[in-house]
């Protein structure tokens, strides 16, 4: 996604947060249970 639009890395939402800020508060997305889903999401991009 970033290769297609590098500005996404620094894009901020209405709370002035980047996607990394949001992901950092959701460590459960990286758990073993969700790893397959997360891996598929990454690979689809």
């Amino acid at each position: 996604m970033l290769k297609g639009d590098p500005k996404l890395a620094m894009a901020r939402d209405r709370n002035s947060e980047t996607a990394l800020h949001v992901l950092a508060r959701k460590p459960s997305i990286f758990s073993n249970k969700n790893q397959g889903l997360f891996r598929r999401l990454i690979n689809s991009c």
Side-chain angles (χ1 to χ4, degrees):
M1 287 174 29
L2 291 176
K3 286 181 183 179
D5 189 359
K7 291 183 280 184
L8 288 175
M10 298 304 293
R12 295 183 179 265
D13 65 8
R14 63 179 171 238
N15 296 320
S16 296
E17 295 180 319
T18 65
L20 186 57
H21 287 117
V22 176
L23 287 173
R25 286 196 309 274
K26 299 184 180 289
S28 62
I29 195 170
F30 300 105
S31 72
N32 287 337
K33 178 181 169 188
N34 292 325
Q35 190 173 27
L37 174 63
F38 187 68
R39 191 174 303 260
R40 284 194 311 258
L41 176 65
I42 295 290
N43 290 335
S44 70
C45 299

